[in-house]
Amino acid sequence: MNFTTGAPVSELLSLDHIRNQLIRLEDTIIFLLIERAQFAHNEKIYKPGAFRPELEFDGSWLQWFLFEIESFHAKARRYTSPDEHPFTPLNLLPKPIIAPQSYPSLLHRPAATHPSVNVNSRILDFYMNKISPGICAPGDDGNYGSAATRDVEVLQALSRRIHFGMFVSESKFLDAPHDFIPHILSTPPNTQALADLITKPAVEAKLLVRLANKARVYGGEMDADGRVVESSDRKGKIDMEQVVSMYRDYVIPLTKDVEVDYLLHRLDGVSQEQVELWMKGR
Ligand SMILES: C=C(O[C@@H]1C=C(C(=O)O)C=C[C@H]1O)C(=O)O
C-alpha cells in the first residue's frame, strides 16, 4: 500500500480502498507464481543442510536466500513499512542505512506488533509443502538460484497480502467498535464470535470466481501472431485450480487468522475511558 500519497487516514483505512489493494495483489501473486512455475520443483532447496559443505548456513537454501535478500532490503528500510513483515526474525536483520519514512499511524501498534499476528512461519510451511509442489513440474532442473529467487518473491507477496488482514481488521473495528469489544473482553475472548464478525462469505465467493478467471487468462498461451492457444490440459502456464485452492485453503483462512489475532490485542494499552466511549457509540 502506498502510504505516502498524502491521502487522509479515513481514505487509507476505507474498506473499499483496502479491498482494492487486495484485488491488485491477486495479479501480482498470480504472475509471480507463473514465474516460479517455469522451473522444476527442485525439492532440494527446501531441505535444511542439503547444500553442505558449500553452504555454511543453519537452514535450507531457500531460508538462506530469505536471510540474504531480507538483510539487503532491511538496509533499504523495507521493514519500517507497516505492510512489510520479514520471514527472518527482525532482530537478526541489519538496521536501515537511511532514516525510516514517516508513515501515517493507521494501525494500533500493540496489536500490529504482537508476535501472534505474524504468520510468516505458517506461510512458509504451506508454500514449501503445498504450493511449490502443486504449481511446479516434479524433479530437479538444477535452477536452484532462479527457483529460490522466485520463491522469495512469491513469499513476500503472500506475506503482504495475508498481513493486510491487520488493515482490514482496523477498518472493521473502527467502523463498529461496540460490536467487537464485548468479544475481545470476554473471558476467555470469544474468537469464534470475532471470526464470524469479520467473515464476509459473499466477498470470498466473488474473489474465488475472479481469481479463477484471472488465472485462466493470465496463464493462457498465445502464438507469435497473438492467437490464443487452447491448452489441452487446461493448465497453460499455471494450473488455475492450484491458484484457487491456494487462496481458498490457505490465503483467506490465514488472512482471517491475522484479523482475529489483531482484534484480540486491539484494546491492549487502550484506556477504560476510550473503551466506554466506543461502547456508547461515540
Ligand atoms: C479481507 C476481508 O476479510 C475476510 C477475508 C477475506 C479474504 O481473505 O479475501 C475476504 C472476506 C472476509 O471473509 C474483507 O472483508 O475484505
Side-chain angles (χ1 to χ4, degrees), residues 83 109 141:
D83 63 339
R109 186 165 174 75
D141 62 12

Side-chain angles (χ1 to χ4, degrees), residues 29-30 32-41 46 127 130-138 150-151 154 235-243 245-246:
I29 289 167
I30 291 171
L32 289 174
L33 288 169
I34 288 171
E35 290 304 291
R36 173 62 178 93
Q38 293 176 88
F39 305 101
H41 180 209
Y46 306 119
Y127 178 78
K130 302 292 184 184
I131 308 309
S132 178
I135 64 169
C136 299
R150 300 299 185 220
D151 281 340
V154 176
K235 284 188 179 178
K237 301 187 190 82
I238 191 96
D239 180 348
M240 175 191 64
E241 278 307 313
Q242 290 292 329
V243 178
S245 61
M246 177 184 80

Side-chain angles (χ1 to χ4, degrees), residues 111-157:
T113 57
H114 193 277
S116 66
V117 184
N118 184 314
V119 295
N120 273 344
S121 59
R122 294 167 64 189
I123 293 172
L124 183 59
D125 183 66
F126 82 66
Y127 178 78
M128 289 195 298
N129 295 304
K130 302 292 184 184
I131 308 309
S132 178
I135 64 169
C136 299
D140 185 317
D141 62 12
N143 289 302
Y144 306 135
S146 299
T149 301
R150 300 299 185 220
D151 281 340
V152 170
E153 291 167 347
V154 176
L155 287 165
Q156 288 175 330

Side-chain angles (χ1 to χ4, degrees), residues 19-93:
R19 284 174 173 164
N20 285 337
Q21 303 277 322
L22 292 177
I23 290 171
R24 180 65 184 79
L25 271 170
E26 292 165 6
D27 304 343
T28 303
I29 289 167
I30 291 171
F31 280 118
L32 289 174
L33 288 169
I34 288 171
E35 290 304 291
R36 173 62 178 93
Q38 293 176 88
F39 305 101
H41 180 209
N42 293 321
E43 190 174 15
K44 184 178 178 182
I45 67 175
Y46 306 119
K47 303 292 182 192
F51 286 79
R52 286 189 185 279
E54 296 86 345
L55 177 57
E56 293 181 8
F57 180 79
D58 281 338
S60 66
W61 179 267
L62 173 60
Q63 286 169 313
W64 175 55
F65 263 64
L66 280 167
F67 173 72
E68 294 291 347
I69 290 168
E70 292 184 331
S71 293
F72 169 57
H73 289 180
K75 292 175 188 173
R77 71 184 179 186
R78 176 172 188 162
Y79 302 109
T80 61
S81 173
D83 63 339
E84 292 285 353
H85 304 270
F87 287 81
T88 305
L90 208 51
N91 64 306
L92 299 180
L93 294 176

Side-chain angles (χ1 to χ4, degrees), residues 19 22 161 168 172 198-200 203-204 207 252 255-256 259:
R19 284 174 173 164
L22 292 177
R161 194 289 176 184
V168 174
K172 291 175 178 175
I198 57 101
T199 295
K200 307 298 176 193
V203 174
E204 294 182 25
L207 178 154
I252 293 174
T255 302
K256 293 198 280 189
E259 290 185 54

